[in-house]
Coordinates of all heavy atoms in Angstrom, one line a residue:
A1243 N 5.9 18.8 -44.2 CA 7.2 19.2 -43.8 C 7.9 18.2 -43.1 O 9.1 18.0 -43.3 CB 7.0 20.5 -43.0
I1244 N 7.2 17.4 -42.2 CA 7.9 16.4 -41.4 C 8.3 15.3 -42.3 O 9.5 14.8 -42.2 CB 7.0 15.9 -40.3 CG1 6.8 16.9 -39.2 CG2 7.5 14.6 -39.7 CD1 5.8 16.6 -38.1
D1245 N 7.5 14.9 -43.2 CA 7.9 13.8 -44.2 C 9.1 14.2 -45.0 O 10.1 13.4 -45.2 CB 6.8 13.4 -45.1 CG 5.7 12.7 -44.4 OD1 6.0 12.1 -43.4 OD2 4.5 12.8 -44.9
S1246 N 9.2 15.5 -45.4 CA 10.4 15.9 -46.2 C 11.6 15.9 -45.3 O 12.7 15.4 -45.7 CB 10.2 17.4 -46.7 OG 11.3 17.9 -47.3
M1247 N 11.5 16.3 -44.1 CA 12.7 16.2 -43.1 C 13.1 14.8 -42.8 O 14.3 14.5 -42.9 CB 12.3 16.9 -41.8 CG 13.4 17.0 -40.8 SD 12.9 17.7 -39.2 CE 11.9 16.5 -38.5
M1248 N 12.1 13.9 -42.8 CA 12.5 12.5 -42.5 C 13.3 11.9 -43.7 O 14.2 11.2 -43.5 CB 11.2 11.7 -42.4 CG 10.5 12.0 -41.1 SD 11.4 11.7 -39.6 CE 10.4 12.4 -38.4
N1249 N 12.9 12.2 -44.9 CA 13.6 11.8 -46.1 C 15.1 12.3 -46.1 O 16.0 11.6 -46.4 CB 12.9 12.3 -47.4 CG 11.6 11.6 -47.6 OD1 11.4 10.5 -47.1 ND2 10.7 12.2 -48.4
Q1250 N 15.2 13.6 -45.6 CA 16.6 14.2 -45.5 C 17.4 13.4 -44.4 O 18.6 13.2 -44.5 CB 16.5 15.7 -45.2 CG 15.9 16.5 -46.3 CD 15.7 17.9 -46.0 OE1 16.1 18.4 -44.9 NE2 15.0 18.7 -46.8
M1251 N 16.7 13.0 -43.3 CA 17.4 12.4 -42.3 C 17.9 11.0 -42.7 O 19.0 10.6 -42.4 CB 16.5 12.2 -41.0 CG 16.2 13.6 -40.3 SD 17.7 14.4 -39.8 CE 18.4 13.3 -38.6
D1252 N 17.1 10.3 -43.4 CA 17.5 9.0 -44.0 C 18.7 9.1 -44.8 O 19.7 8.4 -44.6 CB 16.4 8.3 -44.7 CG 15.3 7.8 -43.9 OD1 15.5 7.4 -42.8 OD2 14.1 7.7 -44.4
A1253 N 18.8 10.1 -45.7 CA 19.9 10.3 -46.6 C 21.1 10.7 -45.8 O 22.2 10.3 -46.0 CB 19.6 11.3 -47.7
L1254 N 21.0 11.7 -44.9 CA 22.1 12.1 -44.0 C 22.7 11.0 -43.2 O 23.9 10.9 -43.1 CB 21.6 13.2 -43.1 CG 22.7 13.8 -42.1 CD1 23.8 14.5 -43.0 CD2 22.0 14.8 -41.2
C1255 N 21.8 10.2 -42.6 CA 22.4 9.1 -41.8 C 23.1 8.0 -42.7 O 24.1 7.5 -42.3 CB 21.2 8.4 -41.1 SG 20.6 9.5 -39.7
A1256 N 22.5 7.7 -43.9 CA 23.1 6.8 -44.8 C 24.5 7.2 -45.2 O 25.5 6.5 -45.3 CB 22.3 6.6 -46.0
D1257 N 24.7 8.6 -45.4 CA 26.0 9.2 -45.7 C 27.0 9.1 -44.7 O 28.1 9.1 -44.9 CB 25.8 10.6 -46.2 CG 25.1 10.7 -47.5 OD1 25.0 9.7 -48.3 OD2 24.7 11.9 -47.9
N1258 N 26.5 8.9 -43.4 CA 27.4 9.0 -42.3 C 27.4 7.6 -41.5 O 27.8 7.5 -40.4 CB 27.0 10.1 -41.2 CG 27.3 11.4 -41.8 OD1 28.4 11.8 -41.9 ND2 26.2 12.2 -42.1
D1259 N 27.0 6.5 -42.2 CA 27.0 5.2 -41.7 C 26.3 5.1 -40.4 O 26.7 4.6 -39.4 CB 28.4 4.7 -41.5 CG 28.5 3.2 -41.4 OD1 27.5 2.5 -41.9 OD2 29.4 2.7 -40.8
S1260 N 25.1 5.8 -40.3 CA 24.3 5.8 -39.1 C 22.9 5.3 -39.5 O 22.5 5.1 -40.7 CB 24.1 7.2 -38.6 OG 25.4 7.7 -38.2
I1261 N 22.0 5.2 -38.5 CA 20.7 4.8 -38.7 C 19.8 5.8 -38.1 O 20.0 6.3 -36.9 CB 20.4 3.4 -38.0 CG1 21.3 2.3 -38.6 CG2 18.9 3.0 -38.1 CD1 21.2 1.0 -37.9
F1262 N 18.8 6.2 -38.9 CA 17.8 7.1 -38.4 C 16.6 6.3 -38.0 O 16.0 5.6 -38.7 CB 17.4 8.2 -39.3 CG 16.3 9.1 -38.9 CD1 16.5 10.0 -37.9 CD2 15.0 9.0 -39.5 CE1 15.5 10.9 -37.4 CE2 14.0 9.8 -39.0 CZ 14.2 10.7 -38.0
L1263 N 16.1 6.4 -36.7 CA 15.0 5.7 -36.2 C 13.7 6.6 -36.0 O 13.7 7.5 -35.2 CB 15.3 5.1 -34.9 CG 14.2 4.2 -34.3 CD1 13.7 3.1 -35.1 CD2 14.8 3.6 -32.9
D1264 N 12.8 6.4 -36.9 CA 11.5 7.2 -36.9 C 10.6 6.5 -36.0 O 10.1 5.4 -36.2 CB 10.9 7.3 -38.3 CG 9.7 8.1 -38.4 OD1 9.3 8.6 -37.3 OD2 9.1 8.1 -39.5
L1265 N 10.3 7.1 -34.8 CA 9.4 6.5 -33.8 C 8.0 6.8 -34.0 O 7.2 6.3 -33.2 CB 9.9 7.0 -32.4 CG 11.3 6.4 -32.0 CD1 11.8 7.1 -30.7 CD2 11.3 4.9 -31.8
R1266 N 7.6 7.5 -35.0 CA 6.2 7.9 -35.2 C 5.4 6.6 -35.3 O 4.3 6.5 -34.7 CB 6.0 8.8 -36.4 CG 6.6 10.2 -36.1 CD 6.4 11.1 -37.3 NE 7.2 10.5 -38.5 CZ 7.0 10.8 -39.7 NH1 6.1 11.8 -40.1 NH2 7.7 10.2 -40.7
P1267 N 5.8 5.6 -36.1 CA 5.0 4.4 -36.2 C 4.8 3.6 -34.8 O 3.8 3.1 -34.6 CB 5.7 3.5 -37.2 CG 6.6 4.5 -38.0 CD 6.9 5.6 -37.0
V1268 N 5.9 3.7 -34.0 CA 5.8 3.0 -32.7 C 4.8 3.7 -31.8 O 4.0 3.0 -31.1 CB 7.2 3.1 -32.0 CG1 7.2 2.6 -30.6 CG2 8.3 2.4 -32.8
F1269 N 4.6 5.0 -31.8 CA 3.6 5.7 -31.1 C 2.3 5.8 -31.7 O 1.4 6.2 -31.0 CB 4.2 7.1 -30.7 CG 5.2 7.0 -29.6 CD1 6.6 6.8 -29.9 CD2 4.8 7.2 -28.3 CE1 7.6 6.8 -29.0 CE2 5.8 7.1 -27.3 CZ 7.1 6.9 -27.6
A1270 N 2.1 5.5 -32.9 CA 0.8 5.6 -33.6 C -0.2 4.8 -32.9 O -0.1 3.6 -32.5 CB 1.0 5.2 -35.0
G1271 N -1.3 5.4 -32.5 CA -2.4 4.7 -31.9 C -2.2 4.7 -30.3 O -3.0 4.0 -29.6
H1272 N -1.2 5.3 -29.8 CA -0.9 5.3 -28.4 C -0.6 6.6 -27.8 O 0.5 6.9 -27.4 CB 0.3 4.3 -28.1 CG 0.0 2.9 -28.4 ND1 -0.7 2.1 -27.6 CD2 0.5 2.1 -29.4 CE1 -0.8 0.9 -28.2 NE2 0.0 0.9 -29.3
P1273 N -1.6 7.5 -27.9 CA -1.4 8.9 -27.4 C -1.1 8.9 -25.9 O -0.5 9.8 -25.3 CB -2.7 9.6 -27.6 CG -3.8 8.5 -27.8 CD -3.0 7.3 -28.4
E1274 N -1.5 7.8 -25.1 CA -1.2 7.7 -23.7 C 0.2 7.5 -23.4 O 0.7 7.7 -22.3 CB -2.1 6.6 -23.1 CG -1.6 5.2 -23.4 CD -2.1 4.7 -24.7 OE1 -2.7 5.4 -25.6 OE2 -1.8 3.4 -25.0
W1275 N 1.0 7.2 -24.4 CA 2.5 7.0 -24.3 C 3.2 8.3 -24.3 O 4.5 8.3 -24.1 CB 3.1 6.0 -25.3 CG 2.6 4.7 -25.1 CD1 1.9 4.1 -24.2 CD2 3.0 3.6 -26.1 NE1 1.7 2.8 -24.4 CE2 2.4 2.4 -25.6 CE3 3.7 3.5 -27.2 CZ2 2.5 1.2 -26.2 CZ3 3.8 2.2 -27.8 CH2 3.2 1.1 -27.3
I1276 N 2.6 9.4 -24.5 CA 3.2 10.7 -24.5 C 2.6 11.6 -23.4 O 1.4 11.8 -23.3 CB 3.0 11.5 -25.9 CG1 3.6 10.6 -27.0 CG2 3.7 12.8 -25.9 CD1 5.1 10.5 -27.1
V1277 N 3.5 12.1 -22.5 CA 3.0 12.9 -21.4 C 3.9 14.2 -21.3 O 4.7 14.4 -22.1 CB 3.1 12.1 -20.1 CG1 2.2 10.9 -20.1 CG2 4.5 11.6 -19.8
G1278 N 3.7 14.9 -20.2 CA 4.6 16.1 -20.0 C 4.7 17.1 -21.1 O 5.7 17.3 -21.6
G1279 N 3.6 17.7 -21.5 CA 3.6 18.7 -22.4 C 3.6 18.1 -23.9 O 3.8 18.8 -24.8
G1280 N 3.3 16.8 -24.0 CA 3.3 16.2 -25.3 C 4.7 15.9 -26.0 O 4.7 15.6 -27.2
I1281 N 5.7 15.9 -25.2 CA 7.0 15.5 -25.8 C 7.7 14.4 -25.0 O 8.7 13.9 -25.5 CB 7.9 16.8 -25.9 CG1 8.2 17.4 -24.5 CG2 7.3 17.8 -26.8 CD1 9.2 18.5 -24.4
H1282 N 7.3 14.1 -23.8 CA 8.0 13.1 -23.0 C 7.3 11.8 -23.0 O 6.1 11.8 -22.9 CB 8.2 13.6 -21.6 CG 8.9 14.9 -21.5 ND1 10.3 15.0 -21.6 CD2 8.5 16.1 -21.2 CE1 10.6 16.2 -21.6 NE2 9.6 16.9 -21.2
P1283 N 8.0 10.7 -23.1 CA 7.3 9.4 -23.1 C 7.0 8.9 -21.7 O 7.7 9.3 -20.8 CB 8.4 8.4 -23.7 CG 9.7 9.1 -23.3 CD 9.5 10.5 -23.4
S1284 N 5.8 8.3 -21.6 CA 5.4 7.6 -20.3 C 6.3 6.4 -20.1 O 7.1 6.1 -21.0 CB 4.0 7.2 -20.4 OG 3.8 6.2 -21.4
P1285 N 6.2 5.8 -18.9 CA 7.0 4.5 -18.8 C 6.7 3.5 -19.9 O 7.6 2.8 -20.4 CB 6.5 4.0 -17.4 CG 6.2 5.2 -16.7 CD 5.5 6.1 -17.7
E1286 N 5.5 3.3 -20.3 CA 5.1 2.5 -21.4 C 5.7 2.9 -22.7 O 6.2 2.1 -23.5 CB 3.6 2.4 -21.6 CG 2.9 1.7 -20.4 CD 2.6 2.7 -19.2 OE1 2.8 3.9 -19.4 OE2 2.2 2.3 -18.2
G1287 N 5.7 4.2 -22.9 CA 6.4 4.8 -24.1 C 7.9 4.6 -24.1 O 8.5 4.3 -25.1
S1288 N 8.5 4.8 -23.0 CA 9.9 4.5 -22.9 C 10.3 3.0 -23.1 O 11.2 2.8 -23.8 CB 10.4 4.9 -21.5 OG 10.3 6.2 -21.2
H1289 N 9.4 2.1 -22.7 CA 9.6 0.7 -23.0 C 9.4 0.4 -24.5 O 10.3 -0.3 -25.0 CB 8.6 -0.1 -22.1 CG 8.8 -1.5 -22.3 ND1 9.7 -2.3 -21.5 CD2 8.1 -2.5 -23.0 CE1 9.7 -3.5 -21.9 NE2 8.7 -3.7 -22.7
A1290 N 8.5 1.1 -25.1 CA 8.3 0.9 -26.5 C 9.6 1.4 -27.3 O 10.0 0.8 -28.3 CB 7.1 1.5 -27.0
I1291 N 10.1 2.5 -26.9 CA 11.3 3.1 -27.5 C 12.5 2.1 -27.4 O 13.2 1.8 -28.3 CB 11.6 4.5 -26.9 CG1 10.6 5.5 -27.3 CG2 13.0 4.9 -27.4 CD1 10.7 6.8 -26.6
A1292 N 12.6 1.6 -26.1 CA 13.8 0.7 -25.9 C 13.6 -0.6 -26.7 O 14.6 -1.0 -27.3 CB 13.8 0.3 -24.4
N1293 N 12.4 -1.1 -26.8 CA 12.2 -2.3 -27.7 C 12.6 -2.1 -29.1 O 13.1 -2.9 -29.8 CB 10.7 -2.8 -27.6 CG 10.5 -3.6 -26.3 OD1 11.4 -4.1 -25.7 ND2 9.3 -3.7 -25.9
E1294 N 12.1 -0.9 -29.6 CA 12.4 -0.5 -31.0 C 14.0 -0.4 -31.2 O 14.5 -0.9 -32.2 CB 11.7 0.8 -31.4 CG 11.7 1.1 -32.9 CD 10.9 0.0 -33.7 OE1 10.1 -0.8 -33.2 OE2 11.1 -0.1 -34.9
I1295 N 14.6 0.3 -30.3 CA 16.1 0.4 -30.5 C 16.8 -0.9 -30.4 O 17.6 -1.3 -31.2 CB 16.7 1.3 -29.3 CG1 16.1 2.8 -29.6 CG2 18.2 1.2 -29.2 CD1 16.5 3.7 -28.4
Y1296 N 16.3 -1.8 -29.5 CA 16.8 -3.2 -29.4 C 16.7 -3.9 -30.7 O 17.6 -4.6 -31.2 CB 16.1 -3.9 -28.2 CG 16.6 -5.4 -28.1 CD1 17.8 -5.6 -27.5 CD2 15.8 -6.4 -28.5 CE1 18.3 -6.9 -27.4 CE2 16.2 -7.7 -28.3 CZ 17.4 -8.0 -27.8 OH 17.8 -9.3 -27.6
N1297 N 15.5 -3.8 -31.3 CA 15.2 -4.6 -32.5 C 16.1 -4.0 -33.7 O 16.7 -4.8 -34.5 CB 13.7 -4.4 -33.0 CG 12.9 -5.2 -32.1 OD1 13.3 -6.2 -31.5 ND2 11.6 -4.7 -32.0
V1298 N 16.4 -2.7 -33.7 CA 17.3 -2.1 -34.8 C 18.7 -2.7 -34.6 O 19.4 -3.0 -35.5 CB 17.2 -0.6 -34.7 CG1 18.3 0.0 -35.6 CG2 15.9 -0.1 -35.3
L1299 N 19.1 -2.7 -33.3 CA 20.4 -3.2 -33.0 C 20.6 -4.6 -33.3 O 21.6 -5.0 -33.8 CB 20.8 -2.9 -31.5 CG 20.9 -1.5 -31.1 CD1 21.1 -1.4 -29.5 CD2 22.1 -0.8 -31.8
L1300 N 19.6 -5.5 -33.1 CA 19.7 -6.9 -33.5 C 19.8 -7.0 -35.0 O 20.5 -7.9 -35.4 CB 18.5 -7.6 -32.9 CG 18.4 -8.0 -31.5 CD1 17.2 -8.8 -31.2 CD2 19.7 -8.8 -31.1
E1301 N 19.2 -6.2 -35.7 CA 19.3 -6.3 -37.2 C 20.7 -6.0 -37.6 O 21.1 -6.5 -38.7 CB 18.3 -5.3 -37.8 CG 16.9 -5.6 -37.7 CD 16.0 -4.5 -38.2 OE1 16.5 -3.6 -38.8 OE2 14.7 -4.7 -38.0
Q1302 N 21.5 -5.3 -36.9 CA 22.8 -5.0 -37.2 C 23.9 -6.0 -36.8 O 25.1 -5.9 -37.1 CB 23.3 -3.6 -36.6 CG 22.3 -2.5 -37.0 CD 22.1 -2.3 -38.5 OE1 23.0 -2.2 -39.2 NE2 20.8 -2.2 -38.8
C1303 N 23.4 -6.9 -35.9 CA 24.3 -7.9 -35.3 C 24.4 -9.2 -36.2 O 23.4 -9.7 -36.6 CB 23.8 -8.3 -33.9 SG 24.9 -9.3 -33.0
N1304 N 25.6 -9.7 -36.4 CA 25.9 -10.9 -37.1 C 26.8 -11.7 -36.2 O 27.8 -11.2 -35.8 CB 26.5 -10.6 -38.4 CG 25.6 -9.8 -39.4 OD1 24.6 -10.4 -39.7 ND2 26.0 -8.7 -39.8
C1305 N 26.4 -13.0 -36.0 CA 27.2 -13.9 -35.2 C 27.6 -15.2 -35.9 O 26.8 -15.7 -36.8 CB 26.5 -14.3 -33.9 SG 26.1 -12.9 -32.9
D1306 N 28.8 -15.7 -35.7 CA 29.1 -17.0 -36.2 C 28.4 -18.1 -35.5 O 27.7 -17.8 -34.5 CB 30.6 -17.3 -35.9 CG 31.6 -16.3 -36.7 OD1 31.1 -15.8 -37.7 OD2 32.7 -16.1 -36.2
V1307 N 28.5 -19.3 -35.9 CA 27.8 -20.5 -35.2 C 28.5 -20.7 -33.8 O 29.7 -20.4 -33.7 CB 27.8 -21.7 -36.1 CG1 27.0 -21.5 -37.4 CG2 29.2 -22.2 -36.4
W1308 N 27.8 -21.3 -32.9 CA 28.4 -21.7 -31.6 C 29.4 -22.8 -31.9 O 29.2 -23.7 -32.6 CB 27.3 -22.2 -30.7 CG 26.3 -21.2 -30.2 CD1 25.1 -21.0 -30.7 CD2 26.6 -20.1 -29.2 NE1 24.5 -19.9 -30.0 CE2 25.4 -19.4 -29.1 CE3 27.7 -19.8 -28.5 CZ2 25.3 -18.3 -28.2 CZ3 27.6 -18.8 -27.6 CH2 26.5 -18.0 -27.5
Q1309 N 30.5 -22.7 -31.2 CA 31.6 -23.7 -31.2 C 31.7 -24.3 -29.8 O 31.7 -23.6 -28.8 CB 33.0 -23.0 -31.5 CG 33.0 -22.3 -32.9 CD 32.8 -23.4 -34.0 OE1 33.5 -24.4 -34.0 NE2 32.0 -23.1 -35.1
D1310 N 31.7 -25.6 -29.8 CA 31.9 -26.3 -28.5 C 33.2 -26.1 -27.9 O 34.2 -26.1 -28.6 CB 31.6 -27.8 -28.6 CG 30.1 -28.2 -28.8 OD1 29.3 -27.3 -28.4 OD2 29.9 -29.3 -29.3
G1311 N 33.3 -25.8 -26.5 CA 34.5 -25.7 -25.8 C 34.5 -26.9 -24.8 O 34.0 -28.0 -25.1
D1312 N 35.2 -26.7 -23.7 CA 35.4 -27.7 -22.7 C 34.2 -27.8 -21.7 O 33.6 -26.8 -21.5 CB 36.7 -27.4 -21.9 CG 37.9 -27.5 -22.8 OD1 38.0 -28.2 -23.7 OD2 38.8 -26.7 -22.4
C1313 N 34.1 -29.0 -21.2 CA 33.1 -29.2 -20.1 C 33.7 -28.4 -18.9 O 34.8 -28.4 -18.6 CB 33.0 -30.7 -19.7 SG 32.2 -31.7 -20.9
G1314 N 32.8 -27.6 -18.2 CA 33.2 -26.8 -17.1 C 34.1 -25.7 -17.5 O 34.7 -25.0 -16.6
G1315 N 34.2 -25.4 -18.8 CA 35.1 -24.2 -19.3 C 34.5 -22.9 -19.0 O 33.2 -22.7 -18.7
G1316 N 35.3 -21.9 -18.9 CA 34.8 -20.5 -18.6 C 34.1 -20.5 -17.3 O 34.6 -21.0 -16.3
A1317 N 32.9 -20.0 -17.3 CA 32.1 -19.8 -16.1 C 31.1 -21.0 -16.0 O 30.2 -21.0 -15.1 CB 31.3 -18.5 -16.2
C1318 N 31.3 -22.0 -16.8 CA 30.4 -23.2 -16.8 C 30.7 -24.2 -15.7 O 31.8 -24.2 -15.2 CB 30.5 -23.9 -18.1 SG 30.0 -22.9 -19.6
T1319 N 29.6 -24.9 -15.2 CA 29.8 -25.8 -14.2 C 30.3 -27.1 -14.8 O 30.2 -27.3 -16.0 CB 28.5 -26.2 -13.4 OG1 27.5 -26.6 -14.3 CG2 28.0 -24.9 -12.7
G1320 N 30.7 -28.1 -14.1 CA 31.3 -29.3 -14.6 C 30.3 -30.1 -15.5 O 30.7 -31.0 -16.3
D1321 N 29.0 -30.0 -15.3 CA 28.1 -30.8 -16.1 C 27.5 -30.0 -17.3 O 26.6 -30.4 -18.0 CB 26.9 -31.2 -15.2 CG 26.1 -30.1 -14.6 OD1 26.6 -29.0 -14.6 OD2 24.9 -30.4 -14.2
T1322 N 28.1 -28.9 -17.6 CA 27.7 -28.1 -18.8 C 29.0 -27.8 -19.6 O 30.1 -27.8 -19.1 CB 27.1 -26.8 -18.4 OG1 28.0 -25.9 -17.6 CG2 25.8 -27.0 -17.7
R1323 N 28.8 -27.6 -20.9 CA 29.8 -27.4 -21.9 C 29.8 -25.9 -22.2 O 28.8 -25.3 -22.5 CB 29.6 -28.2 -23.1 CG 30.7 -28.1 -24.2 CD 30.6 -29.0 -25.3 NE 30.6 -30.4 -24.8 CZ 31.8 -31.1 -24.6 NH1 32.9 -30.5 -24.7 NH2 31.7 -32.4 -24.2
E1324 N 31.0 -25.3 -22.3 CA 31.0 -23.9 -22.7 C 31.0 -23.9 -24.2 O 31.6 -24.7 -24.9 CB 32.3 -23.3 -22.2 CG 32.5 -21.8 -22.7 CD 33.8 -21.2 -22.3 OE1 34.8 -21.9 -22.4 OE2 33.8 -20.0 -22.1
Q1325 N 30.2 -22.9 -24.7 CA 30.2 -22.7 -26.2 C 30.5 -21.2 -26.4 O 30.1 -20.4 -25.6 CB 28.8 -23.0 -26.8 CG 28.4 -24.4 -26.8 CD 27.1 -24.7 -27.5 OE1 26.2 -23.9 -27.5 NE2 27.0 -25.9 -28.1
T1326 N 31.2 -20.9 -27.4 CA 31.6 -19.6 -27.8 C 31.3 -19.3 -29.3 O 31.2 -20.2 -30.1 CB 33.1 -19.3 -27.5 OG1 33.8 -20.1 -28.3 CG2 33.4 -19.4 -26.0
R1327 N 31.2 -18.0 -29.6 CA 31.0 -17.6 -31.0 C 31.5 -16.1 -31.0 O 31.6 -15.4 -30.0 CB 29.6 -17.6 -31.4 CG 28.6 -16.7 -30.7 CD 27.2 -16.8 -31.1 NE 26.3 -16.0 -30.4 CZ 25.0 -16.0 -30.5 NH1 24.4 -16.7 -31.5 NH2 24.2 -15.2 -29.8
S1328 N 31.7 -15.6 -32.2 CA 32.2 -14.3 -32.5 C 31.0 -13.5 -33.1 O 30.3 -14.0 -33.9 CB 33.3 -14.2 -33.4 OG 34.5 -14.8 -32.8
C1329 N 30.8 -12.3 -32.6 CA 29.7 -11.4 -33.1 C 30.3 -10.1 -33.6 O 31.3 -9.6 -33.1 CB 28.7 -11.2 -32.1 SG 27.8 -12.7 -31.6
T1330 N 29.7 -9.5 -34.7 CA 30.0 -8.3 -35.2 C 28.8 -7.4 -35.2 O 27.8 -7.8 -35.8 CB 30.6 -8.4 -36.6 OG1 31.7 -9.3 -36.6 CG2 31.1 -7.1 -37.2
P1331 N 28.9 -6.2 -34.5 CA 29.9 -5.7 -33.7 C 30.1 -6.6 -32.4 O 29.1 -7.1 -32.0 CB 29.5 -4.3 -33.4 CG 28.0 -4.2 -33.5 CD 27.8 -5.3 -34.5
P1332 N 31.3 -6.6 -31.9 CA 31.5 -7.5 -30.7 C 30.6 -7.0 -29.5 O 30.3 -5.9 -29.3 CB 33.0 -7.1 -30.3 CG 33.6 -6.6 -31.5 CD 32.5 -5.9 -32.3
G1333 N 30.0 -8.1 -28.9 CA 29.2 -7.8 -27.7 C 27.7 -7.5 -28.0 O 26.9 -7.3 -27.2
C1334 N 27.4 -7.6 -29.3 CA 25.9 -7.2 -29.7 C 24.9 -8.3 -29.2 O 23.8 -8.0 -29.0 CB 25.8 -6.9 -31.2 SG 26.2 -8.3 -32.2
L1335 N 25.4 -9.6 -29.1 CA 24.7 -10.6 -28.5 C 25.7 -11.4 -27.6 O 26.9 -11.2 -27.7 CB 24.1 -11.5 -29.6 CG 22.9 -11.0 -30.4 CD1 22.5 -12.0 -31.5 CD2 21.7 -10.8 -29.5
L1336 N 25.1 -12.4 -27.0 CA 25.9 -13.3 -26.1 C 27.0 -14.0 -26.9 O 26.7 -14.5 -28.1 CB 25.1 -14.3 -25.4 CG 24.3 -13.9 -24.3 CD1 23.4 -15.1 -23.8 CD2 25.0 -13.3 -23.2
E1337 N 28.2 -14.0 -26.4 CA 29.3 -14.7 -27.2 C 29.8 -15.9 -26.5 O 30.7 -16.6 -27.0 CB 30.4 -13.6 -27.5 CG 29.9 -12.6 -28.4 CD 31.0 -11.6 -28.9 OE1 32.0 -12.0 -29.4 OE2 30.8 -10.4 -28.8
S1338 N 29.3 -16.2 -25.3 CA 29.5 -17.5 -24.7 C 28.3 -17.9 -23.9 O 27.5 -17.0 -23.5 CB 30.8 -17.4 -23.7 OG 30.4 -16.4 -22.6
Q1339 N 28.2 -19.2 -23.8 CA 27.1 -19.7 -23.0 C 27.4 -21.1 -22.5 O 28.4 -21.8 -22.9 CB 25.8 -19.9 -23.9 CG 25.9 -20.8 -25.0 CD 24.7 -20.9 -26.0 OE1 23.7 -20.2 -25.7 NE2 24.7 -21.8 -26.9
C1340 N 26.7 -21.6 -21.5 CA 26.9 -22.9 -20.9 C 25.7 -23.7 -21.2 O 24.5 -23.3 -21.0 CB 27.0 -22.8 -19.4 SG 28.4 -21.7 -18.9
V1341 N 25.9 -24.9 -21.8 CA 24.8 -25.7 -22.2 C 24.9 -27.1 -21.5 O 26.0 -27.6 -21.4 CB 24.7 -25.9 -23.8 CG1 24.4 -24.5 -24.4 CG2 26.0 -26.5 -24.3
P1342 N 23.8 -27.7 -21.2 CA 23.8 -29.0 -20.6 C 24.4 -30.0 -21.5 O 24.1 -29.9 -22.8 CB 22.3 -29.3 -20.3 CG 21.6 -28.0 -20.3 CD 22.4 -27.1 -21.2
D1343 N 25.2 -30.9 -21.1 CA 25.8 -31.9 -21.9 C 26.0 -33.2 -21.2 O 26.8 -33.2 -20.2 CB 27.2 -31.4 -22.5 CG 27.8 -32.3 -23.5 OD1 27.5 -33.6 -23.5 OD2 28.6 -31.8 -24.4
P1344 N 25.4 -34.2 -21.5 CA 25.4 -35.5 -20.7 C 26.8 -36.2 -20.8 O 27.1 -37.0 -19.9 CB 24.4 -36.4 -21.3 CG 24.0 -35.8 -22.6 CD 24.3 -34.3 -22.6
T1345 N 27.6 -35.8 -21.7 CA 29.0 -36.3 -21.9 C 29.9 -35.6 -20.9 O 31.1 -36.2 -20.8 CB 29.5 -36.3 -23.3 OG1 29.6 -34.9 -23.6 CG2 28.5 -37.0 -24.3
C1346 N 29.5 -34.6 -20.2 CA 30.5 -33.9 -19.3 C 30.6 -34.6 -18.0 O 29.7 -35.2 -17.5 CB 30.0 -32.5 -19.1 SG 30.1 -31.4 -20.5

């Protein structure tokens, strides 16, 4: 019955441009990650859930290549160069960084 429901969830989410995340494989072999009546995650279980969600979100993120900006640009110090890129969806990963640059 659960497998049948999971197949329906995949199709329903695909039709609504959503992602269904089946956490059963994450918890397989870790009964200690479930507490409180068998439905609540332990701190370790919560961490495992967060990691799985993060991995799914990363799969959805696409970024352009880093573009060099100015020395000391943005929040960078004078001896580092600002680099920027665009990501879709916006903000899914860092879109600016400061990198050491001996020419600065």
Side-chain angles (χ1 to χ4, degrees):
I1244 290 175
D1245 290 337
S1246 174
M1247 182 181 73
M1248 294 300 173
N1249 292 337
Q1250 293 173 10
M1251 291 302 297
D1252 285 336
L1254 178 64
C1255 288
D1257 289 346
N1258 290 292
D1259 196 26
S1260 300
I1261 297 169
F1262 176 71
L1263 180 56
D1264 181 2
L1265 293 173
R1266 292 178 301 165
V1268 173
F1269 282 86
H1272 295 284
E1274 73 280 8
W1275 289 357
I1276 303 290
V1277 296
I1281 61 170
H1282 299 287
S1284 68
E1286 296 82 8
S1288 294
H1289 185 78
I1291 292 170
N1293 281 339
E1294 193 66 18
I1295 292 170
Y1296 178 76
N1297 290 334
V1298 168
L1299 291 174
L1300 280 182
E1301 290 173 7
Q1302 307 305 310
C1303 188
N1304 295 301
C1305 298
D1306 295 336
V1307 297
W1308 289 106
Q1309 300 293 319
D1310 284 341
D1312 296 328
C1313 290
C1318 299
T1319 59
D1321 61 342
T1322 60
R1323 181 173 301 280
E1324 180 183 37
Q1325 290 184 331
T1326 59
R1327 65 181 176 180
S1328 296
C1329 296
T1330 305
C1334 61
L1335 286 174
L1336 289 177
E1337 295 186 49
S1338 66
Q1339 65 180 4
C1340 302
V1341 295
D1343 187 333
T1345 65
C1346 290

